[in-house]
């Protein structure tokens, strides 16, 4: 693991949500203001001595949010190989130089926000980082590779380490095909995570042991998101093919990739 330095805490680190939103202003990435607020509130709820793990940091947008929200004494681990692949929407195959650029931007952004000393960066693919340390996770944020297999492995293998009552937040849920299939395979009918809702594509799950009847209700709550998933697929096809009229039919007027 790489500690990112001992930069002094910034005003953002001692401040509230508005300070945290200011700290990520201009930091590239995929985290809308409402999603940032969710992330902030969940991170704020982790007690001293607890652990937050992020999978997929990119240039530090969500990492800074987590680090500015977390109480003193909360460990924050950010896992991202910065290898250039699976960087973002429609960016599966990338180059090492793109990965290096992300890494440099990540370091600079955390430093500017004054949170470099709060974050341990593990520059490895999440599957290889599992042995880097042991112990439970209070808040897991999953936003790494979005293809089915790596998303499934992250949700299964890292989700397994979330403590009872802890939270798993998943970005691009009911939006990315790979992430959504992984959730349907592992969580929809599973008994370990209770679906707690979403803001856009940021879905929240609480680690639990669900009895039979609760599992059915849990599955129904998640299934109710499938029409929104279908709408996102239509939007993505429309944006990828330039058929903006198709996106407008489902009420989507932005040119931005939905997340
Ligand atoms: C969608 S971006 C993350 C966005 C970030 N959370 C934000 O707030 O902007 C996906 C990131 O996952 C990283 N990634 C790709 N494969 C990974 C893997 N196997 N393990 C961990 N991270 C991975 C990429 O390098 C990329 O930075």
């Amino acid at each position: 693991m790489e500690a990112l330095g001992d930069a002094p805490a910034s005003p953002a680190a001692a401040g509230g949500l508005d300070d945290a939103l200011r700290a990520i202003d201009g930091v590239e990435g995929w985290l809308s203001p409402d999603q940032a607020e969710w992330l902030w509130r969940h991170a704020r709820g982790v007690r001293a001595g607890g652990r937050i793990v992020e999978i997929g940091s990119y240039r530090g947008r969500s990492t800074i949010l987590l680090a500015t929200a977390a109480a003193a004494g909360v460990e924050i681990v950010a896992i991202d190989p910065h290898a250039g692949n699976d960087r973002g929407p429609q960016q599966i195959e990338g180059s090492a130089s793109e990965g290096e650029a992300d890494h440099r931007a990540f370091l600079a952004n955390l430093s500017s926000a004054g949170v470099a000393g709060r974050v341990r960066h593990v520059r490895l693919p999440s599957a290889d980082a599992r042995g880097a340390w042991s112990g439970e996770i209070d808040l897991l944020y999953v936003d790494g590779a979005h293809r089915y297999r790596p998303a499934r492995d992250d949700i299964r293998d890292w989700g397994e380490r979330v403590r009872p009552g802890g939270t798993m937040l998943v970005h691009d849920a009911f939006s990315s095909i790979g992430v959504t299939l992984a959730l349907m395979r592992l969580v929809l009918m599973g008994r370990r995570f209770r679906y707690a809702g979403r803001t856009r594509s940021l879905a929240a799950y609480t680690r639990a042991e669900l009895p039979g009847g609760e599992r059915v209700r849990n599955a129904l709550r998640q299934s109710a998101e499938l029409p929104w998933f279908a709408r996102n697929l239509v939007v993505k096809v429309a944006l990828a093919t330039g058929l903006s009229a198709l996106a407008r039919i489902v009420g989507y007027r932005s040119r931005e990739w939905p997340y």
Side-chain angles (χ1 to χ4, degrees):
M1 278 189 222
E2 182 184 355
L4 294 181
D6 296 318
S10 71
L17 175 61
D18 289 345
D19 298 305
L21 292 175
R22 265 194 295 280
I24 62 164
D25 192 25
V27 177
E28 285 176 81
W30 296 273
L31 192 69
S32 60
D34 51 311
Q35 294 173 343
E37 181 173 347
W38 271 41
L39 209 54
W40 190 89
R41 292 194 187 287
H42 280 283
R44 196 64 150 191
V46 177
R47 297 209 179 133
R51 177 183 289 132
I52 297 173
V53 173
E54 168 183 81
I55 300 174
S57 307
Y58 189 55
R59 297 189 165 200
R61 190 169 169 81
S62 48
T63 323
I64 292 169
L65 227 294
L66 293 168
T68 52
V74 173
E75 182 184 16
I76 302 159
V77 182
I79 301 169
D80 195 313
H82 287 145
N85 297 324
D86 294 296
R87 293 169 75 224
Q90 299 176 295
Q91 290 183 306
I92 289 176
E93 293 291 332
S95 66
S97 62
E98 287 172 310
E100 274 309 314
D102 292 343
H103 186 61
R104 280 195 301 275
F106 172 77
L107 296 179
N109 288 333
L110 264 64
S111 185
S112 299
V115 296
R118 288 298 321 273
V119 177
R120 282 204 282 171
H121 179 214
V122 181
R123 195 174 178 184
L124 289 172
S126 51
D128 297 338
R130 284 203 294 273
W133 81 97
S134 59
E136 290 187 326
I137 297 170
D138 294 270
L139 173 60
L140 173 66
Y141 181 46
V142 180
D143 192 18
H146 286 27
R147 288 170 292 111
Y148 171 70
R149 279 175 187 276
R152 178 200 63 188
D153 292 355
D154 284 344
I155 292 165
R156 183 188 60 205
D157 299 336
W158 284 94
E160 179 65 27
R161 288 172 66 169
V162 175
R163 68 162 172 80
T167 301
M168 175 172 73
L169 297 174
V170 181
H171 201 254
D172 292 297
F174 311 111
S175 182
S176 145
I177 294 176
V179 174
T180 307
L181 289 180
L183 286 170
M184 289 171 72
R185 165 91 175 73
L186 294 169
V187 185
L188 186 86
M189 278 306 293
R191 60 186 161 79
R192 294 213 166 134
F193 281 101
R194 179 181 292 112
Y195 179 53
R198 66 171 173 86
T199 181
R200 303 186 203 213
S201 77
L202 181 67
Y205 296 86
T206 307
R207 182 78 195 255
E209 279 301 321
L210 303 177
E214 177 71 10
R215 277 173 75 179
V216 174
R217 282 192 291 281
N218 196 41
L220 290 174
R221 276 200 301 274
Q222 293 171 80
S223 303
E225 305 292 8
L226 295 180
W228 190 74
F229 174 48
R231 170 262 196 196
N232 283 330
L233 295 186
V234 171
V235 169
K236 288 181 179 184
V237 168
L239 293 179
T241 57
L243 292 172
S244 47
L246 182 59
R248 283 199 296 277
I249 289 172
V250 293
Y252 195 81
R253 301 195 180 276
S254 167
R255 287 178 183 277
E256 193 180 21
W257 202 250
Y259 63 86

